[in-house]
Structure formats: C-alpha cells, structure tokens
Amino acid sequence: MPRPALLAAALALPLPVAAQEAPTLLDLIRPERLLEGLAQSAILGLRTQVDLKYGDLAISLPAGRVTMTDLQLWPLPDWDETAECEITADRLVLRTAAIDRPDRLRLNAAAYGLAAPDICLPPDMRQGLAMAGVGALSLPHVAFDIVYDIASAEAQMELRAIADGIAAVDLTADFEYLWIDGREDMEEPEPVAFLRSATLAVENLGAWANLQGMLPPGFTAPQQAGMAVEGAIGAALASMNRDALAGTVPEGTDPSALSPGQQALVASARDSWVAFLADPRRLVLETGYDPAEAVYLDVVAYEEDPRLAFDDLMPQVVLTPASARAALPAAVVRAVLDGAEGVAPQDRRRVGLALLTGRGAPRNIAAALD
C-alpha cells in the first residue's frame, strides 16, 4: 500500500484511550456541571418522597433553564393501595430569570405531555371527572410562572392548564406591590399585597357536553337558569355572611344580608350564565375595579368580615376577560410603533400606556417610553 494511503488509514483509526483528551479540572467545575450536580442531589432528595425516573437532564446557564425528558413518577397516595398511579410527562422545563437580570426573580415550571390515570386523584375529585365523561387525565400543557421585580416589588403570576376533552384554565394575578411585614412577628409575618387585577378563566373544551346533563333542569333552561344561579349563589353568600358575622352585628341587623359587592357578583353571574348557555365557550371570574388603582388586600379584615373582600375586589362573572376587551386595534398599535404621520396624540398616549402596563397590548416598556 502506498505511503499516503497508509497515513490516511492510520488517521481514520480511533485513538487509544490513553491518547484521547481526558476531562480536566476545569470540566469538573464548569457552572453547568455544578448545577447539574445540585439538580441531581435535589432529585435524590425528592426520591425519598416520590418514586421518580427520567430519561435526560439538560441545563442552560445563560438561559436559566433546566430540562428533563421522559419523566415517570409514582407518588403512592394513601388511597392507591395497588400503586396504579403513574404520572408521566414528555418534558419538564424549569426556568429562572436570565443571567443578565439580577434584579428579577423568576420561577417558571412547564410540563408537556402530562398524563395520569384517575386513581391519582382523591375519590371525591374522581367523581367530578367521571361526571365530565373522562376516565384519565391528559394534559398537553401545564405551566406556572411567577415574576418578581426586586426594585419595584411588582409581581405577576400565572397558572395555565389544558386538559384534553375537558377544559383550559388560566389564572392570573398582577400585583403593584407584594412582600411580607414582619415588624411585629417575623415568625408569622403578614402579607403586604396591592393587587392590580386577577382573573380566572375557564374555557370549555368538551366538559360541558357531559356536565349539562348532570345539572338540575332549572340551571340549563334559558327561561329559568338566571334565577336558579342567582338563588344558588346568593344563598351561599348569605350563609357565609351569617356564619362569619353572627353575634357581631347590631341588634335588628340581618347578618346574612349581601353587601353591594356581593350583590353585583350575583347579578353578573346571573346574566353571564344565561349568555353562556347560548354560547358555551368560556366563563371568566375577574376583579371589577380599575387596574390603575391597586387595591390593598387586608387579609386579616377579610377573615373577620368576608363582605369587605367583595366590596374591595368587586368580583364579576363575564364571558371575555378585561385584557381581551381592552385590546387596542392592531392597526392603531402598528401605526404608532411605525411612527406613521397623522397619528393623533391621544392614540399615541393610549398605545404607550397599553405597552407600559400590558393591558390592551403586549407589554414592551422600551417601546412604551419611545
């Protein structure tokens, strides 16, 4: 064989193990390697509470992201005597704030392709699942996200879950200020929270087709449904008031009487339920005050008199969340962002405020300031 051919064949052979590049001390102390070790230690600790297996673990320090794939969990709840509860997930992603944002705290957890049999739920919850005509849970996407800005003490929280054939649930809360007060008792501090808005939206993805047959006829007949819902919710609120206020109100005062905020909630539930029956797509429970005027959540006072919570938060039932109702026309937003001529000053101000607050347009502080 010619000498060039021999040289090429030698280069094609794998190097002996001793000649291959060995890991160095720098490889052992790489930030990603250290974080992977911490994550594996946390998993070992978690296995003392739940049986857990996974296929792969990947960590990206610049993105602040940890990804696990092919998860299998066996939580072994007390009611599962035969250990049939196995929770699986195609992918689990955990995120923190980006490395260039030390002024921001973030915890984001998202699971994709989550599945579990109904035995994983407590018996009373399994009954509700059966009523919806579902024998097992299939959740393409479940996510929780909380972002906390250290400088301003602002916080945004969101929980979203999609269940195949059942419903999609979206819970959001926007705080102007959120922390704790430990001046009197640091071991049991009180929350300090100024809430801009909160929304709970439930979108029908098939559950209503099965549930409507389980409800009393009065709740599904358009002519009677409004009165039925009004009576049911009103009675529940009156009972709550009576239990909390009995013996504390002046003589001759009805402790079960509804406050203005409670009356407004009942009226909105009545009207929205009738509208939902005509088009059963979505129901939304949200705060009803102006988000520009954040409300202080006086948790201690609410425990003593629950009516105060309704009067402060002004909850209402609607079909479309305020964020969607307040959305600005895309053409107006684009004209302002593109610097088009002839845009009215009031439109520039509307778009700027929407970009600044995230209400009416996606939040973009840099564009808002421009």
Side-chain angles (χ1 to χ4, degrees), residues 3-73:
R3 183 172 300 177
L6 287 174
L7 180 59
L11 292 175
L13 293 174
L15 292 175
V17 175
Q20 293 179 7
E21 185 176 351
T24 66
L25 180 60
L26 292 178
D27 293 318
L28 298 178
I29 61 174
R30 284 187 301 111
E32 290 82 0
R33 179 66 187 88
L34 296 176
L35 290 176
E36 184 177 348
L38 290 175
Q40 291 172 340
S41 298
I43 291 170
L44 294 176
L46 182 61
R47 280 180 176 157
T48 65
Q49 306 299 318
V50 57
D51 295 332
L52 166 66
K53 295 175 64 175
Y54 64 93
D56 191 25
L57 173 67
I59 295 178
S60 172
L61 183 60
R65 183 177 64 244
V66 177
T67 304
M68 300 175 67
T69 58
D70 301 324
L71 277 85
Q72 295 175 278
L73 297 91

Side-chain angles (χ1 to χ4, degrees), residues 299-357:
V299 179
V300 176
Y302 298 160
E303 292 177 353
E304 298 176 354
D305 186 351
R307 298 175 303 179
L308 298 176
F310 291 86
D311 292 343
D312 283 350
L313 300 178
M314 300 174 60
Q316 59 183 0
V317 180
V318 294
L319 299 183
T320 305
S323 58
R325 301 195 306 270
L328 297 178
V332 175
V333 177
R334 175 52 56 194
V336 172
L337 293 178
D338 290 344
E341 297 182 0
V343 177
Q346 58 268 29
D347 286 337
R348 291 181 57 84
R349 183 176 186 277
R350 287 172 58 207
V351 172
L353 290 175
L355 295 171
L356 184 64
T357 62

Side-chain angles (χ1 to χ4, degrees), residues 123-268:
D124 55 344
M125 295 184 65
R126 289 204 299 273
Q127 293 179 2
L129 204 64
M131 291 177 60
V134 179
L137 288 175
S138 177
L139 305 173
H141 180 60
V142 179
F144 172 77
D145 190 28
I146 176 171
V147 179
Y148 186 83
D149 184 78
I150 297 177
S152 64
E154 293 184 354
Q156 291 80 40
M157 302 179 184
E158 180 174 9
L159 172 63
R160 178 163 179 80
I162 302 175
D164 277 342
I166 305 177
V169 179
D170 199 355
L171 174 63
T172 63
D174 184 7
F175 292 89
E176 183 181 74
Y177 186 95
L178 180 65
W179 201 237
I180 56 176
D181 182 1
R183 284 172 287 189
E184 294 185 3
D185 187 354
M186 193 59 197
E187 294 184 359
E188 296 184 4
E190 296 180 0
V192 180
F194 288 82
L195 181 67
R196 288 195 184 103
S197 62
T199 302
L200 171 62
V202 181
E203 183 177 355
N204 171 40
L205 298 181
W208 177 244
N210 296 311
L211 290 177
Q212 62 179 335
M214 305 292 180
L215 295 176
F219 284 86
T220 56
Q223 299 80 4
Q224 306 171 16
M227 295 180 59
V229 168
E230 183 178 19
I233 297 179
L237 293 175
S239 176
M240 179 185 65
N241 292 347
R242 185 166 53 250
D243 293 341
L245 302 173
T248 64
V249 297
E251 186 176 354
T253 302
D254 182 8
S256 64
L258 303 188
S259 70
Q262 291 174 325
Q263 294 174 12
L265 171 62
V266 171
S268 68

Side-chain angles (χ1 to χ4, degrees), residues 102-120:
D103 60 332
R104 174 172 294 184
L105 302 178
R106 184 185 186 190
L107 174 60
N108 176 284
Y112 301 88
L114 193 66
D118 61 351
I119 190 64
C120 295

